[in-house]
Amino acid sequence: MAQPANELLTAQIITSFGRRFIVRTYAGKTYEATTRKKRVDFACGDEVHISHINQQQAVIEDYLPRHSLLYRQDATRSKLIAANVTLMLIVLAAVPTPSELLLQRALLAAEAAGILPLIVLNKADLPQNKPWLEKLTFYQSLGYQVINISALYNVAELRSYLQGERAILLGQSGMGKSTLTNSLLGNEQARVGDISAALDSGRHTTTHAQLYDLDAHSQLIDSPGLQAFGLHHLSVSNLLHYFPDMRQYIGECRFHNCTHRQEPGCALKQAAADGKLKPERLQFLQSITDELIR
Ligand code: GDP
Ligand code: ZN
């Protein structure tokens, strides 16, 4: 039955191409959707109100309150990555060389957004994997969960973490995100992929994010390879809250706006000198602090 022209439907954004979207209503109908006034403040995973134009097209009018919002911001631009995510899968593999810095940045972003991170070391079948597994024990000591799996051979352990979650896959290209998605989804992926391909045909737009159903209660969002993770939206005064190994020093530096470099009475530098804080972590804190006050 046709909808009255002015009735709003509730839908979920399942594909984001930046300014164009695919949305799906709770009845399971998909529409190609645009926004009004060139709004770009919508993300994959958002629940939205849409007005229906015809059988294929809709307009996104607004988003419903969000449980979480993940975005990256550099000095000039902000990009939404996904909304309403409950779990961040940070995918690493020994080959090609992963960036530990990117891991630390992703963990910060997860902490700031209130999203539980899960570090996924992929390619467990490769012998080069061992030193990375050892390196990651440090992050386990901070309270982060780490799993060691092989997207090619067995994703059962990962699947158990995804129950009831809306998870996002993040990682540099080559770490195995597409392979993981394929292993977790099988045929479902092909089906959703077809919709995107049809919408995208000949326009050469990049998909920013794609949402898949794992089962009735669990969803997976795939995002393109991530090389940089702009954190300009973080506030320097809250920064220490996002570092599990430094939280205990909040308020202990002599100067409230300490940059943890030259200042006398810096609790973090003291902790590093006393061997209570890893020097690499202090360096990371210093570099992020510099980035945010610049
Ligand atoms: P993405 O760029 O993160 O999506 O990475 P891909 O899924 O395209 O994987 C990059 C390469 O790593 C491909 O050649 C995959 O076959 C390979 N790969 C992915 N998972 C595994 C794994 O568990 N073990 C091994 N040995 N190779 C893998
Ligand atoms: Zn300090």
Side-chain angles (χ1 to χ4, degrees):
M1 214 173 69
Q3 291 285 335
N6 57 356
E7 185 175 319
L8 294 181
L9 292 172
T10 304
Q12 185 183 32
I13 296 181
I14 59 168
T15 309
S16 157
F17 295 99
R19 282 194 184 166
R20 293 182 310 118
F21 303 89
I22 298 174
V23 299
R24 183 177 60 187
T25 65
Y26 292 111
K29 173 136 184 57
T30 56
Y31 295 91
E32 184 179 337
T34 51
T35 61
R36 295 192 194 276
K37 298 182 182 159
K38 299 189 176 165
R39 275 180 71 174
V40 291
D41 56 333
F42 298 105
C44 194
D46 257 329
E47 281 192 291
V48 290
H49 280 144
I50 57 168
S51 44
H52 166 113
I53 299 176
N54 58 36
Q55 284 303 313
Q56 287 82 39
Q57 292 172 299
V59 174
I60 299 176
E61 301 289 355
D62 218 337
Y63 56 82
L64 277 65
R66 290 163 167 155
H67 304 293
S68 70
L69 180 64
L70 192 61
Y71 60 108
R72 53 208 250 225
Q73 187 168 335
D74 61 22
T76 55
R77 283 193 321 158
S78 164
K79 261 217 165 94
L80 303 194
I81 301 171
N84 298 323
V85 165
T86 59
L87 181 69
M88 181 193 287
L89 308 175
I90 307 169
V91 185
L92 304 175
V95 183
T97 309
S99 157
E100 195 171 347
L101 191 63
L102 193 65
L103 166 63
Q104 296 191 72
R105 296 181 75 97
L107 289 171
L108 261 190
E111 293 275 357
I115 298 168
L116 185 72
L118 173 64
I119 302 171
V120 180
L121 182 62
N122 186 31
K123 311 196 187 184
D125 53 296
L126 297 182
Q128 297 95 313
N129 175 283
K130 255 232 166 80
W132 280 93
L133 199 52
E134 277 154 28
K135 201 186 267 284
L136 293 177
T137 58
F138 168 69
Y139 295 91
Q140 276 172 310
S141 78
L142 299 185
Y144 296 116
Q145 285 176 307
V146 177
I147 60 169
N148 184 28
I149 61 155
S150 174
L152 287 180
Y153 302 108
N154 191 350
V155 294
E157 188 181 2
L158 175 58
R159 205 184 283 283
S160 69
Y161 281 88
L162 302 179
Q163 284 304 312
E165 307 286 347
R166 184 173 300 112
I168 184 159
L169 274 172
L170 293 181
Q172 297 154 262
S173 59
M175 298 292 128
K177 295 186 303 299
S178 316
T179 312
L180 274 174
T181 307
N182 280 321
S183 304
L184 290 167
L185 291 161
N187 296 330
E188 171 68 9
Q189 192 194 7
R191 193 178 66 73
V192 183
D194 286 348
I195 301 173
S196 310
L199 174 61
D200 207 23
S201 61
R203 288 186 235 182
H204 304 289
T205 45
T206 323
T207 311
H208 289 230
Q210 172 78 55
L211 180 145
Y212 304 101
D213 292 327
L214 292 170
D215 58 44
H217 309 288
S218 323
Q219 298 184 319
L220 183 70
I221 296 179
D222 191 12
S223 66
L226 207 55
Q227 298 299 345
F229 210 131
L231 293 169
H232 269 256
H233 53 293
L234 303 190
S235 112
V236 91
S237 56
N238 286 338
L239 211 48
L240 289 182
H241 290 275
Y242 308 141
F243 290 80
D245 45 347
M246 303 187 207
R247 267 176 207 143
Q248 57 189 298
Y249 304 110
I250 289 172
E252 296 201 354
C253 294
R254 186 175 305 165
F255 300 101
H256 78 279
N257 57 352
C258 187
T259 63
H260 320 298
R261 279 193 193 274
Q262 317 299 342
E263 295 89 340
C266 172
L268 283 309
K269 279 199 305 185
Q270 190 58 50
D274 295 344
K276 293 179 190 154
L277 176 65
K278 254 190 157 192
E280 296 90 329
R281 291 285 286 175
L282 176 59
Q283 277 169 24
F284 179 57
L285 172 71
Q286 290 168 334
S287 69
I288 296 287
T289 305
D290 286 355
E291 214 176 290
L292 297 183
I293 59 180
R294 233 186 293 134

